[in-house]
Amino acid sequence: MNYIYPAVFYPEGDGKYSVIFPDLNDLATYGDNLADAFAMAQEACGQYLFTSLRDGDVLPAPTPLDAVEKDEDAALVNLICVNLDEYARAYNDKAVKKTLSIPAWLNTACENYGINYSKVLQDALIAKIQARS
């Protein structure tokens, strides 16, 4: 499902842009240029909306574009669209079941020590990903 909220883009002196979402508790982000600011705005908006809906919060109605107030004449007001279905697929932390094969002796030893297979595997996979980043 698509959600659309207005954002105010404020140009900074160094070519960067600050971005404020007035409807989302003044959610703020920035970008190194206008294109980066749009990408960062979409990411920040997606994260905010995804988290709010996951927590059971009611989302505010978006302010009409022509009613959005800006503090500076040079500021740009634009709509940011976020497809939360795509966002959820990319960032959802819902558990996914995987089949694991280990030697019987290792299984016995892990059970004796109360080792949580899922936790150990998650930690190892996260470490492996971080090592490649």
Side-chain angles (χ1 to χ4, degrees):
M1 176 171 210
N2 288 326
Y3 291 84
I4 301 173
Y5 280 91
V8 183
F9 293 77
Y10 292 97
E12 304 294 335
D14 54 3
K16 296 180 181 182
Y17 282 82
S18 297
V19 185
I20 305 289
F21 286 89
D23 295 328
L24 305 177
N25 293 324
D26 288 331
L27 173 68
T29 189
Y30 74 95
D32 291 332
N33 53 48
L34 189 56
D36 187 43
F38 268 89
M40 296 299 288
Q42 191 171 36
E43 179 68 23
C45 185
Q47 184 177 21
Y48 181 93
L49 297 175
F50 179 78
T51 302
S52 295
L53 289 173
R54 184 192 64 202
D55 294 346
D57 298 337
V58 176
L59 298 179
T63 301
L65 193 60
D66 60 354
V68 175
E69 296 180 16
K70 55 184 185 173
D71 298 339
E72 301 171 14
D73 289 337
L76 308 168
V77 179
N78 210 322
L79 296 174
I80 299 297
C81 180
V82 175
N83 182 319
L84 276 189
D85 294 332
E86 284 181 21
Y87 192 90
R89 275 193 291 279
Y91 297 103
N92 194 353
D93 57 359
K94 178 182 174 188
V96 177
K97 184 173 179 141
K98 294 290 183 184
T99 303
L100 173 69
S101 297
I102 60 173
W105 68 266
L106 183 57
N107 183 60
T108 302
C110 289
E111 287 176 352
N112 289 339
Y113 286 104
I115 293 174
N116 180 324
Y117 298 106
S118 294
K119 175 75 171 123
V120 171
L121 181 57
Q122 286 178 45
D123 290 346
L125 291 172
I126 289 168
K128 190 78 153 177
I129 290 169
Q130 289 173 342
R132 291 182 180 209
S133 298

